[in-house]
């Protein structure tokens, strides 16, 4: 990282303070239901959140805080049964035409068929970095933990503690990396039967509505963007053992676990799609960015 980039990063971090959420967050404290006309609900004294979708509307929520780097965990139980046409999106995003975004999207399917877990990374408004997976369990039978670790060097997507994808900072070869724009957490449950299931061939069966996804045990060990503070997120992260995420990387064991997932459960990788990128692969695909 060049001196100009380091200076810009330091200035950005000066607008942050470390906050350590409790192991089990409270949705009343941490989230706002933003749309759905009552289809999103916070229950059990703030310990459970549900989103529902019926033919008139889906629903969604967002975090009260914005974050600049951190480790974000959420336990989600997805729509059971015939969920074809539905999408449960869970992601970090900034705002504006040059937004940054880190995506989990769960594409529903016919009963008995696996969900598709879709991941993507946007930086400066540019995405097209999709990787898709099937899961090694039924994500509708119980809650599972979906995690995003985001620091200045890398983004790691994990499921139940198993890394499935790493997107490294490749600014040295001209690839933008999300590091300057604070992002909120968002989630929504919506109808996408024009594209989500087999390219839109399978439509939503509204006789199964309402469709419901459930959330619990939100945890953000993260840098909360607060314009009024002059604390340095970087300095605090180095001083506290609780903030190991700020410089965390995959050790050899977790690299092997990620390779196992990618070998056995990855169903799409943009870095192998030569037809799509016929004019030349994205530059990060020629590096060790994708293990």
């Amino acid at each position: 990282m060049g001196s100009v980039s380091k200076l810009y990063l330091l200035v950005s971090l000066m607008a942050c303070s470390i906050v350590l959420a409790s192991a089990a967050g409270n949705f009343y404290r941490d989230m706002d239901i933003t749309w759905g006309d009552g289809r999103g609900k916070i229950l059990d004294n703030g310990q459970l959140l549900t989103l529902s979708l019926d033919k008139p509307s889906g629903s969604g929520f967002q975090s009260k805080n914005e974050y600049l780097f951190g480790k974000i965990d959420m336990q989600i139980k997805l729509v059971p049964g015939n969920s074809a046409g539905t999408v449960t999106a869970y992601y970090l995003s900034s705002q504006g035409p040059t937004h940054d975004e880190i995506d989990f999207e769960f594409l529903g399917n016919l009963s008995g068929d696996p969900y598709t877990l879709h991941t993507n990374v946007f930086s400066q408004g540019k995405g097209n970095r999709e990787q898709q997976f099937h899961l090694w369990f039924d994500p509708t039978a119980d809650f599972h933990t979906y995690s995003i670790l985001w620091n200045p060097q890398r983004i790691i997507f994990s499921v139940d503690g198993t890394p499935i994808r790493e997107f490294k900072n490749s600014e040295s070869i001209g690839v933008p990396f999300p590091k300057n724009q604070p992002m909120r957490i968002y989630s929504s449950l919506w109808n996408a039967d024009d594209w989500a299931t087999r390219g839109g061939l399978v439509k939503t069966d509204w006789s199964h509505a309402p469709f419901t996804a459930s959330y619990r045990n939100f945890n953000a060990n993260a840098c909360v963007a607060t314009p009024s503070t002059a604390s340095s997120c970087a300095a605090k992260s180095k001083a506290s053992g609780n903030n190991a995420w700020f410089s965390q990387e995959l050790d050899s064991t977790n690299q092997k676990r990620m390779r196992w997932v990618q070998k056995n459960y990855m169903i799409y990788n943009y870095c192998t799609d030569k037809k799509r990128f016929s004019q030349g692969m994205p530059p990060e695909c020629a590096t060790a960015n994708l293990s």
Side-chain angles (χ1 to χ4, degrees):
M1 190 183 294
S3 58
V4 174
S5 296
K6 289 180 180 177
L7 178 61
Y8 196 90
L9 175 60
L10 180 60
V11 170
S12 298
L13 293 173
M14 293 293 284
C16 280
S17 64
I18 284 292
V19 74
L20 301 180
S22 61
N26 186 288
F27 287 117
Y28 284 121
R29 181 191 65 212
D30 299 323
M31 302 293 173
D32 290 318
I33 305 288
T34 49
W35 63 283
D37 194 23
R39 291 172 179 83
K41 295 181 172 64
I42 297 176
L43 306 165
D44 296 349
N45 297 314
Q47 299 306 301
L48 179 70
L49 189 154
T50 62
L51 296 180
S52 291
L53 163 69
D54 55 26
K55 196 166 188 178
S57 178
S59 51
F61 66 85
Q62 69 181 42
S63 61
K64 295 179 186 291
N65 289 322
E66 292 183 301
Y67 303 94
L68 185 63
F69 306 125
K71 186 175 185 293
I72 311 294
D73 303 312
M74 182 77 81
Q75 290 192 332
I76 307 173
K77 182 163 67 172
L78 296 175
V79 174
N82 182 357
S83 57
T86 72
V87 172
T88 305
Y90 167 62
Y91 58 103
L92 292 168
S93 184
S94 61
Q95 297 298 307
T98 58
H99 76 292
D100 296 337
E101 188 171 316
I102 304 170
D103 292 341
F104 278 113
E105 288 187 308
F106 304 91
L107 312 185
N109 219 323
L110 296 169
S111 300
D113 288 346
Y115 262 79
T116 294
L117 170 52
H118 176 100
T119 66
N120 203 355
V121 177
F122 286 76
S123 186
Q124 296 296 305
K126 182 180 181 296
N128 299 325
R129 300 184 178 105
E130 302 92 343
Q131 287 187 3
Q132 294 183 340
F133 305 82
H134 288 154
L135 294 166
W136 50 95
F137 54 83
D138 178 357
T140 74
D142 203 351
F143 287 90
H144 292 269
T145 303
Y146 302 92
S147 305
I148 295 169
L149 185 144
W150 170 37
N151 65 33
Q153 295 82 38
R154 58 187 41 83
I155 295 163
I156 300 171
F157 298 78
S158 298
V159 177
D160 289 338
T162 295
I164 65 170
R165 176 178 186 180
E166 180 180 27
F167 184 83
K168 292 181 180 178
N169 185 331
S170 297
E171 290 178 306
S172 61
I173 57 172
V175 180
F177 185 83
K179 71 177 196 305
N180 301 318
Q181 301 186 69
M183 296 194 268
R184 291 187 194 276
I185 299 161
Y186 296 88
S187 190
S188 58
L189 175 58
W190 50 291
N191 178 41
D193 67 2
D194 57 334
W195 66 270
T197 306
R198 298 180 187 170
L201 293 176
V202 182
K203 301 302 182 183
T204 303
D205 183 349
W206 294 110
S207 70
H208 293 278
F211 304 97
T212 301
S214 303
Y215 303 75
R216 71 180 187 189
N217 289 346
F218 165 69
N219 185 50
N221 186 353
C223 174
V224 175
T226 53
S228 61
T229 183
S231 299
S232 168
C233 178
K236 286 191 175 184
S237 70
K238 292 175 183 177
S240 171
N242 291 328
N243 301 311
W245 54 263
F246 194 82
S247 57
Q248 187 172 332
E249 56 188 281
L250 294 176
D251 60 19
S252 59
T253 299
N254 279 307
Q255 287 175 1
K256 290 178 182 177
R257 294 168 74 193
M258 183 172 68
R259 286 195 292 269
W260 172 80
V261 171
Q262 294 183 351
K263 178 181 177 180
N264 293 285
Y265 296 99
M266 180 183 283
I267 57 173
Y268 177 80
N269 181 358
Y270 77 108
C271 272
T272 62
D273 194 341
K274 295 181 180 179
K275 182 177 180 181
R276 178 183 179 188
F277 298 104
S278 58
Q279 301 303 309
M281 301 300 291
E284 69 269 21
C285 294
T287 72
N289 186 56
L290 296 130
S291 302

PDB file of all heavy atoms in Angstrom, residues 77-99:
ATOM      1  N   LYS A  77     -31.916 -18.676   9.898  1.00  0.00           N
ATOM      2  CA  LYS A  77     -32.618 -19.886   9.462  1.00  0.00           C
ATOM      3  C   LYS A  77     -33.450 -19.489   8.253  1.00  0.00           C
ATOM      4  O   LYS A  77     -34.327 -18.616   8.339  1.00  0.00           O
ATOM      5  CB  LYS A  77     -33.499 -20.454  10.576  1.00  0.00           C
ATOM      6  CG  LYS A  77     -34.204 -21.744  10.178  1.00  0.00           C
ATOM      7  CD  LYS A  77     -34.734 -22.518  11.370  1.00  0.00           C
ATOM      8  CE  LYS A  77     -35.854 -21.789  12.085  1.00  0.00           C
ATOM      9  NZ  LYS A  77     -36.486 -22.645  13.138  1.00  0.00           N
ATOM     10  N   LEU A  78     -33.182 -20.118   7.115  1.00  0.00           N
ATOM     11  CA  LEU A  78     -33.761 -19.696   5.846  1.00  0.00           C
ATOM     12  C   LEU A  78     -35.166 -20.243   5.640  1.00  0.00           C
ATOM     13  O   LEU A  78     -35.626 -21.145   6.342  1.00  0.00           O
ATOM     14  CB  LEU A  78     -32.848 -20.121   4.701  1.00  0.00           C
ATOM     15  CG  LEU A  78     -31.458 -19.464   4.696  1.00  0.00           C
ATOM     16  CD1 LEU A  78     -30.590 -20.051   3.593  1.00  0.00           C
ATOM     17  CD2 LEU A  78     -31.571 -17.947   4.526  1.00  0.00           C
ATOM     18  N   VAL A  79     -35.841 -19.685   4.637  1.00  0.00           N
ATOM     19  CA  VAL A  79     -37.206 -20.086   4.279  1.00  0.00           C
ATOM     20  C   VAL A  79     -37.234 -21.583   3.973  1.00  0.00           C
ATOM     21  O   VAL A  79     -36.498 -22.052   3.094  1.00  0.00           O
ATOM     22  CB  VAL A  79     -37.693 -19.293   3.053  1.00  0.00           C
ATOM     23  CG1 VAL A  79     -39.056 -19.801   2.592  1.00  0.00           C
ATOM     24  CG2 VAL A  79     -37.756 -17.795   3.365  1.00  0.00           C
ATOM     25  N   PRO A  80     -38.071 -22.360   4.654  1.00  0.00           N
ATOM     26  CA  PRO A  80     -38.128 -23.804   4.406  1.00  0.00           C
ATOM     27  C   PRO A  80     -39.049 -24.159   3.246  1.00  0.00           C
ATOM     28  O   PRO A  80     -39.798 -23.326   2.737  1.00  0.00           O
ATOM     29  CB  PRO A  80     -38.683 -24.346   5.727  1.00  0.00           C
ATOM     30  CG  PRO A  80     -39.583 -23.247   6.208  1.00  0.00           C
ATOM     31  CD  PRO A  80     -38.920 -21.947   5.783  1.00  0.00           C
ATOM     32  N   GLY A  81     -38.977 -25.433   2.855  1.00  0.00           N
ATOM     33  CA  GLY A  81     -39.906 -25.947   1.849  1.00  0.00           C
ATOM     34  C   GLY A  81     -39.636 -25.390   0.466  1.00  0.00           C
ATOM     35  O   GLY A  81     -38.492 -25.146   0.080  1.00  0.00           O
ATOM     36  N   ASN A  82     -40.696 -25.195  -0.294  1.00  0.00           N
ATOM     37  CA  ASN A  82     -40.571 -24.665  -1.655  1.00  0.00           C
ATOM     38  C   ASN A  82     -40.337 -23.161  -1.593  1.00  0.00           C
ATOM     39  O   ASN A  82     -41.266 -22.375  -1.473  1.00  0.00           O
ATOM     40  CB  ASN A  82     -41.839 -24.986  -2.451  1.00  0.00           C
ATOM     41  CG  ASN A  82     -41.747 -24.499  -3.885  1.00  0.00           C
ATOM     42  OD1 ASN A  82     -40.761 -23.876  -4.285  1.00  0.00           O
ATOM     43  ND2 ASN A  82     -42.772 -24.770  -4.669  1.00  0.00           N
ATOM     44  N   SER A  83     -39.093 -22.781  -1.668  1.00  0.00           N
ATOM     45  CA  SER A  83     -38.712 -21.362  -1.578  1.00  0.00           C
ATOM     46  C   SER A  83     -38.302 -20.799  -2.932  1.00  0.00           C
ATOM     47  O   SER A  83     -37.709 -19.712  -3.008  1.00  0.00           O
ATOM     48  CB  SER A  83     -37.559 -21.199  -0.586  1.00  0.00           C
ATOM     49  OG  SER A  83     -36.450 -22.007  -0.972  1.00  0.00           O
ATOM     50  N   ALA A  84     -38.583 -21.522  -3.998  1.00  0.00           N
ATOM     51  CA  ALA A  84     -38.193 -21.074  -5.338  1.00  0.00           C
ATOM     52  C   ALA A  84     -38.720 -19.676  -5.613  1.00  0.00           C
ATOM     53  O   ALA A  84     -39.869 -19.355  -5.333  1.00  0.00           O
ATOM     54  CB  ALA A  84     -38.728 -22.047  -6.383  1.00  0.00           C
ATOM     55  N   GLY A  85     -37.850 -18.825  -6.171  1.00  0.00           N
ATOM     56  CA  GLY A  85     -38.218 -17.455  -6.493  1.00  0.00           C
ATOM     57  C   GLY A  85     -37.902 -16.454  -5.410  1.00  0.00           C
ATOM     58  O   GLY A  85     -37.849 -15.253  -5.662  1.00  0.00           O
ATOM     59  N   THR A  86     -37.675 -16.928  -4.171  1.00  0.00           N
ATOM     60  CA  THR A  86     -37.373 -16.015  -3.073  1.00  0.00           C
ATOM     61  C   THR A  86     -35.870 -15.808  -2.943  1.00  0.00           C
ATOM     62  O   THR A  86     -35.074 -16.692  -3.262  1.00  0.00           O
ATOM     63  CB  THR A  86     -37.917 -16.545  -1.732  1.00  0.00           C
ATOM     64  OG1 THR A  86     -37.134 -17.661  -1.290  1.00  0.00           O
ATOM     65  CG2 THR A  86     -39.378 -16.961  -1.861  1.00  0.00           C
ATOM     66  N   VAL A  87     -35.488 -14.630  -2.471  1.00  0.00           N
ATOM     67  CA  VAL A  87     -34.091 -14.329  -2.162  1.00  0.00           C
ATOM     68  C   VAL A  87     -34.034 -13.727  -0.764  1.00  0.00           C
ATOM     69  O   VAL A  87     -34.759 -12.783  -0.453  1.00  0.00           O
ATOM     70  CB  VAL A  87     -33.471 -13.351  -3.173  1.00  0.00           C
ATOM     71  CG1 VAL A  87     -32.085 -12.908  -2.715  1.00  0.00           C
ATOM     72  CG2 VAL A  87     -33.372 -13.993  -4.553  1.00  0.00           C
ATOM     73  N   THR A  88     -33.175 -14.297   0.066  1.00  0.00           N
ATOM     74  CA  THR A  88     -32.867 -13.719   1.365  1.00  0.00           C
ATOM     75  C   THR A  88     -31.476 -13.102   1.245  1.00  0.00           C
ATOM     76  O   THR A  88     -30.491 -13.817   1.072  1.00  0.00           O
ATOM     77  CB  THR A  88     -32.877 -14.786   2.471  1.00  0.00           C
ATOM     78  OG1 THR A  88     -34.138 -15.476   2.458  1.00  0.00           O
ATOM     79  CG2 THR A  88     -32.666 -14.153   3.835  1.00  0.00           C
ATOM     80  N   ALA A  89     -31.415 -11.786   1.288  1.00  0.00           N
ATOM     81  CA  ALA A  89     -30.141 -11.067   1.135  1.00  0.00           C
ATOM     82  C   ALA A  89     -29.652 -10.598   2.496  1.00  0.00           C
ATOM     83  O   ALA A  89     -30.432 -10.094   3.308  1.00  0.00           O
ATOM     84  CB  ALA A  89     -30.323  -9.872   0.205  1.00  0.00           C
ATOM     85  N   TYR A  90     -28.361 -10.770   2.748  1.00  0.00           N
ATOM     86  CA  TYR A  90     -27.738 -10.335   3.995  1.00  0.00           C
ATOM     87  C   TYR A  90     -26.371  -9.766   3.614  1.00  0.00           C
ATOM     88  O   TYR A  90     -25.523 -10.487   3.086  1.00  0.00           O
ATOM     89  CB  TYR A  90     -27.608 -11.529   4.952  1.00  0.00           C
ATOM     90  CG  TYR A  90     -26.722 -11.285   6.142  1.00  0.00           C
ATOM     91  CD1 TYR A  90     -27.035 -10.305   7.075  1.00  0.00           C
ATOM     92  CD2 TYR A  90     -25.557 -12.033   6.332  1.00  0.00           C
ATOM     93  CE1 TYR A  90     -26.212 -10.078   8.167  1.00  0.00           C
ATOM     94  CE2 TYR A  90     -24.736 -11.822   7.420  1.00  0.00           C
ATOM     95  CZ  TYR A  90     -25.073 -10.839   8.335  1.00  0.00           C
ATOM     96  OH  TYR A  90     -24.249 -10.608   9.407  1.00  0.00           O
ATOM     97  N   TYR A  91     -26.168  -8.467   3.835  1.00  0.00           N
ATOM     98  CA  TYR A  91     -24.993  -7.845   3.252  1.00  0.00           C
ATOM     99  C   TYR A  91     -24.603  -6.555   3.986  1.00  0.00           C
ATOM    100  O   TYR A  91     -25.372  -5.995   4.770  1.00  0.00           O
ATOM    101  CB  TYR A  91     -25.237  -7.541   1.773  1.00  0.00           C
ATOM    102  CG  TYR A  91     -26.424  -6.635   1.476  1.00  0.00           C
ATOM    103  CD1 TYR A  91     -26.241  -5.292   1.143  1.00  0.00           C
ATOM    104  CD2 TYR A  91     -27.731  -7.122   1.508  1.00  0.00           C
ATOM    105  CE1 TYR A  91     -27.323  -4.465   0.860  1.00  0.00           C
ATOM    106  CE2 TYR A  91     -28.811  -6.304   1.225  1.00  0.00           C
ATOM    107  CZ  TYR A  91     -28.603  -4.976   0.899  1.00  0.00           C
ATOM    108  OH  TYR A  91     -29.681  -4.159   0.626  1.00  0.00           O
ATOM    109  N   LEU A  92     -23.386  -6.114   3.706  1.00  0.00           N
ATOM    110  CA  LEU A  92     -22.891  -4.803   4.125  1.00  0.00           C
ATOM    111  C   LEU A  92     -22.875  -3.897   2.902  1.00  0.00           C
ATOM    112  O   LEU A  92     -22.487  -4.329   1.819  1.00  0.00           O
ATOM    113  CB  LEU A  92     -21.468  -4.907   4.678  1.00  0.00           C
ATOM    114  CG  LEU A  92     -21.263  -5.643   5.999  1.00  0.00           C
ATOM    115  CD1 LEU A  92     -19.778  -5.907   6.222  1.00  0.00           C
ATOM    116  CD2 LEU A  92     -21.817  -4.824   7.148  1.00  0.00           C
ATOM    117  N   SER A  93     -23.270  -2.633   3.071  1.00  0.00           N
ATOM    118  CA  SER A  93     -23.246  -1.727   1.926  1.00  0.00           C
ATOM    119  C   SER A  93     -23.144  -0.278   2.382  1.00  0.00           C
ATOM    120  O   SER A  93     -23.718   0.103   3.406  1.00  0.00           O
ATOM    121  CB  SER A  93     -24.505  -1.899   1.071  1.00  0.00           C
ATOM    122  OG  SER A  93     -24.458  -1.084  -0.090  1.00  0.00           O
ATOM    123  N   SER A  94     -22.402   0.514   1.600  1.00  0.00           N
ATOM    124  CA  SER A  94     -22.438   1.970   1.729  1.00  0.00           C
ATOM    125  C   SER A  94     -23.469   2.487   0.731  1.00  0.00           C
ATOM    126  O   SER A  94     -24.179   1.715   0.090  1.00  0.00           O
ATOM    127  CB  SER A  94     -21.051   2.559   1.463  1.00  0.00           C
ATOM    128  OG  SER A  94     -20.627   2.264   0.143  1.00  0.00           O
ATOM    129  N   GLN A  95     -23.560   3.799   0.608  1.00  0.00           N
ATOM    130  CA  GLN A  95     -24.569   4.394  -0.257  1.00  0.00           C
ATOM    131  C   GLN A  95     -23.907   5.145  -1.418  1.00  0.00           C
ATOM    132  O   GLN A  95     -22.725   5.459  -1.376  1.00  0.00           O
ATOM    133  CB  GLN A  95     -25.460   5.357   0.545  1.00  0.00           C
ATOM    134  CG  GLN A  95     -26.256   4.669   1.647  1.00  0.00           C
ATOM    135  CD  GLN A  95     -27.218   3.632   1.117  1.00  0.00           C
ATOM    136  OE1 GLN A  95     -28.021   3.911   0.239  1.00  0.00           O
ATOM    137  NE2 GLN A  95     -27.132   2.421   1.646  1.00  0.00           N
ATOM    138  N   GLY A  96     -24.696   5.430  -2.451  1.00  0.00           N
ATOM    139  CA  GLY A  96     -24.213   6.260  -3.546  1.00  0.00           C
ATOM    140  C   GLY A  96     -23.770   5.459  -4.755  1.00  0.00           C
ATOM    141  O   GLY A  96     -23.639   4.233  -4.711  1.00  0.00           O
ATOM    142  N   PRO A  97     -23.510   6.161  -5.872  1.00  0.00           N
ATOM    143  CA  PRO A  97     -23.180   5.491  -7.134  1.00  0.00           C
ATOM    144  C   PRO A  97     -21.840   4.763  -7.113  1.00  0.00           C
ATOM    145  O   PRO A  97     -21.612   3.861  -7.922  1.00  0.00           O
ATOM    146  CB  PRO A  97     -23.167   6.635  -8.151  1.00  0.00           C
ATOM    147  CG  PRO A  97     -22.923   7.868  -7.336  1.00  0.00           C
ATOM    148  CD  PRO A  97     -23.576   7.636  -6.020  1.00  0.00           C
ATOM    149  N   THR A  98     -20.947   5.132  -6.214  1.00  0.00           N
ATOM    150  CA  THR A  98     -19.660   4.435  -6.100  1.00  0.00           C
ATOM    151  C   THR A  98     -19.606   3.649  -4.784  1.00  0.00           C
ATOM    152  O   THR A  98     -18.601   3.654  -4.083  1.00  0.00           O
ATOM    153  CB  THR A  98     -18.483   5.422  -6.177  1.00  0.00           C
ATOM    154  OG1 THR A  98     -18.605   6.394  -5.129  1.00  0.00           O
ATOM    155  CG2 THR A  98     -18.465   6.136  -7.522  1.00  0.00           C
ATOM    156  N   HIS A  99     -20.728   2.986  -4.481  1.00  0.00           N
ATOM    157  CA  HIS A  99     -20.839   2.305  -3.199  1.00  0.00           C
ATOM    158  C   HIS A  99     -19.946   1.073  -3.137  1.00  0.00           C
ATOM    159  O   HIS A  99     -19.565   0.489  -4.155  1.00  0.00           O
ATOM    160  CB  HIS A  99     -22.292   1.908  -2.943  1.00  0.00           C
ATOM    161  CG  HIS A  99     -22.751   0.721  -3.721  1.00  0.00           C
ATOM    162  ND1 HIS A  99     -22.909   0.737  -5.097  1.00  0.00           N
ATOM    163  CD2 HIS A  99     -23.082  -0.540  -3.325  1.00  0.00           C
ATOM    164  CE1 HIS A  99     -23.319  -0.441  -5.502  1.00  0.00           C
ATOM    165  NE2 HIS A  99     -23.431  -1.245  -4.464  1.00  0.00           N
TER     166      HIS A  99
END
